[in-house]
Amino acid sequence: MEAAADGAPPPGAAVAAAPATETSPAPAAAPPRRLLALLRDKLCTWYILKTIILGQMLSLFICGTAVTSQYLAEKYQVNTPMFQSFINYSLLLLVYTTMLAFRTGSDSLWQILKQRWWKYIILGLADVEANYMIVKAYQYTTLTSVQLLDCFGIPVLMALSWFILRARYRLIHFLAVAVCLLGVGTMVGADILAGRQNSEGSDVVIGDVLVLLGASLYAISNVSEEYIVKNLSRVEFLGMVGLFGTIISGLQLAIVEHREITRIQWNWKIALLFTVFALCMFGLYSFMPVVIKVTSATSVNLGILTADLYSLFFGLFLFYYNRPLSSRGQVFRPVLLL
């Protein structure tokens, strides 16, 4: 009692204090746990999962168009990129432009044409030529090269988003763009070296240039799509692209590809490839605005990079890309199995 009165600690105080010193490192382990919990709460959400799933659907659609185009070009010598695009635009016209035709008021087809017809002509021209150049490139280079080089559209898209949509990016984004451009340059250089070994250097360069131009036009189309989808409507974008895309691709088809169409030796396999290509393109165009409205054009283009991986698997196991040794190095050669 006297010790307690004098301010001395009770007998059990020392024993109770000891565990406190032993468990002192526990608070230091709390921040990593809180960080992991925060990452789990931010990443494992239905919004993120939905975005990833939709992005992979778009990647599979892109892979489907790439594989069918490569088959038509290499297996059956069918080189009709504008005809393939014309079928897709015709489907968009039948579905979405028809929906606009039944609207009334300010969202009707007539009102949209009166107010913004010239803008949609430019958009339709950019979209049609982008599709034409990408599909045309399969005649000159490989499936893998096309799918890897089309990532050039990402830095172009970011630049357009910066000036048009007022998007802002961090330093890590610009570093990623630098890596992307470095990869594009490396891929083009590898194609040139491989083409020289096969005496096809000029053809490979033409294919790579077509892909880069097509990717740039796709970036213009995607930025316009994001603006229209978020400020106007998805049906308006698809309906106008279907309308003017059909007109522009139809005129270009009649001028540059009418002879190629007459040379096609039609059979059920070629018809099936055209059908699969058209359905994949229609699915891509129909679902792309949905994903863009949820996220952004830049996020969508980053998400569909997995299409490159899918195309690589098809190139390895379906087209059987191998690397035969030569005196000057290794060269990719596509060999069709079917």
Side-chain angles (χ1 to χ4, degrees), residues 112-122 240 244:
I112 293 173
L113 290 175
K114 282 178 58 178
Q115 298 172 11
R116 298 181 284 274
W117 63 271
W118 62 273
K119 296 179 181 179
Y120 285 115
I121 289 179
I122 297 175
M240 290 295 99
F244 290 105

Side-chain angles (χ1 to χ4, degrees), residues 39-58:
L39 290 175
R40 184 179 65 252
D41 294 338
K42 292 292 184 180
L43 296 179
C44 297
T45 63
W46 171 240
Y47 171 79
I48 296 296
L49 293 176
K50 180 173 65 174
T51 303
I52 293 174
I53 293 172
L54 291 174
Q56 297 317 297
M57 290 177 60
L58 297 179

Side-chain angles (χ1 to χ4, degrees), residues 92-104 107-109 112 234-236 238-239 282:
L92 294 176
L93 173 69
L94 290 174
V95 177
Y96 295 104
T97 310
T98 303
M99 293 172 64
L100 287 179
F102 285 99
R103 284 185 174 182
T104 58
D107 293 335
S108 65
L109 178 61
I112 293 173
R234 166 178 171 267
V235 176
E236 178 176 336
L238 294 173
F282 181 78

Side-chain angles (χ1 to χ4, degrees), residues 267-324:
N267 57 51
W268 70 270
K269 294 181 180 179
I270 293 179
L272 179 62
L273 288 172
F274 272 109
T275 302
V276 173
F277 177 89
L279 292 177
C280 287
M281 283 293 286
F282 181 78
L284 175 64
Y285 272 74
S286 298
F287 282 101
M288 179 78 82
V290 176
V291 189
I292 285 180
K293 190 170 185 178
V294 173
T295 56
S296 66
T298 304
S299 300
V300 169
N301 278 266
L302 290 172
I304 62 178
L305 287 178
T306 50
D308 302 340
L309 181 62
Y310 300 149
S311 298
L312 176 61
F313 289 152
F314 275 103
L316 291 174
F317 299 107
L318 188 60
F319 293 100
Y320 195 60
Y321 290 145
N322 58 5
R323 293 186 178 185

Side-chain angles (χ1 to χ4, degrees), residues 121-282:
I121 289 179
I122 297 175
L123 173 60
L125 184 63
D127 199 78
V128 168
E129 298 308 322
N131 285 326
Y132 177 78
M133 290 180 182
I134 293 294
V135 179
K136 187 74 173 177
Y138 289 106
Q139 301 176 25
Y140 301 99
T141 187
T142 64
L143 169 68
T144 308
S145 295
V146 172
Q147 290 295 289
L148 291 176
L149 286 175
D150 67 0
C151 68
F152 179 71
I154 294 177
V156 177
L157 182 63
M158 291 179 62
L160 293 175
S161 298
W162 178 282
F163 292 105
I164 298 176
L165 302 178
R166 304 299 180 183
R168 291 297 177 261
Y169 304 99
R170 298 180 179 179
L171 178 62
I172 187 65
H173 296 104
F174 293 104
L175 293 177
V177 169
V179 173
C180 179
L181 293 176
L182 180 62
V184 168
T186 304
M187 192 69 191
V188 173
D191 278 348
I192 292 174
L193 293 176
R196 286 177 179 174
Q197 296 177 17
N198 293 328
S199 301
E200 298 175 352
S202 60
D203 288 346
V204 172
V205 172
I206 291 173
D208 291 346
V209 170
L210 286 174
V211 176
L212 297 179
L213 291 175
S216 301
L217 291 175
Y218 268 136
I220 296 175
S221 176
N222 287 343
V223 169
S224 303
E225 181 177 0
E226 179 177 355
Y227 178 84
I228 295 170
V229 168
K230 291 186 175 180
N231 293 278
L232 298 172
S233 73
R234 166 178 171 267
V235 176
E236 178 176 336
F237 170 78
L238 294 173
M240 290 295 99
V241 168
L243 175 61
F244 290 105
T246 301
I247 295 173
I248 296 171
S249 62
L251 292 174
Q252 190 167 340
L253 170 64
I255 295 172
V256 302
E257 280 189 6
H258 61 280
R259 294 181 180 178
E260 292 291 338
I261 296 176
T262 58
R263 296 194 188 103
I264 298 176
Q265 302 294 323
W266 288 98
N267 57 51
W268 70 270
K269 294 181 180 179
I270 293 179
L272 179 62
L273 288 172
F274 272 109
T275 302
V276 173
F277 177 89
L279 292 177
C280 287
M281 283 293 286
F282 181 78

